[in-house]
């Protein structure tokens, strides 16, 4: 996945799962859980990302990712 702007993913809801994705060469983008709770980011590859993952909200799980 290649992002064009500040966020390659801008999640704005709850109870989503992002699992086993590869985010490659997004040097000006970040993955963002902007507003929402109880989201899961698991087992993803973030290669050449600006900031990796930013998370807001409660109960989010960010585990077993490669940065």
């Amino acid at each position: 996945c290649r992002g064009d702007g500040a966020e390659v993913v801008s999640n704005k809801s709850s109870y989503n799962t992002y699992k086993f994705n590869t985010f490659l060469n997004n040097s000006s983008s970040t993955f963002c859980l902007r507003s929402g709770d109880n989201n899961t980011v698991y087992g993803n590859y973030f290669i050449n990302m600006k900031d990796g993952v930013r998370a807001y909200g409660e109960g989010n799980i960010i585990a077993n990712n490669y940065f």
Side-chain angles (χ1 to χ4, degrees), residues 32-49:
C32 188
L33 301 176
R34 181 166 290 285
S35 60
D37 301 317
N38 302 301
N39 294 295
T40 301
V41 181
Y42 180 89
N44 299 287
Y45 286 85
F46 298 93
I47 301 168
N48 193 24
M49 292 280 289

Side-chain angles (χ1 to χ4, degrees), residues 11-22:
N11 182 84
K12 298 176 183 170
S13 56
S14 298
Y15 296 98
N16 297 289
T17 299
Y18 298 93
K19 194 172 182 181
F20 305 133
N21 297 286
T22 299

Side-chain angles (χ1 to χ4, degrees), residues 22-27 45-50 66-67:
T22 299
F23 300 93
L24 177 64
N25 295 328
N26 295 290
S27 59
Y45 286 85
F46 298 93
I47 301 168
N48 193 24
M49 292 280 289
K50 179 180 178 184
Y66 174 83
F67 297 92

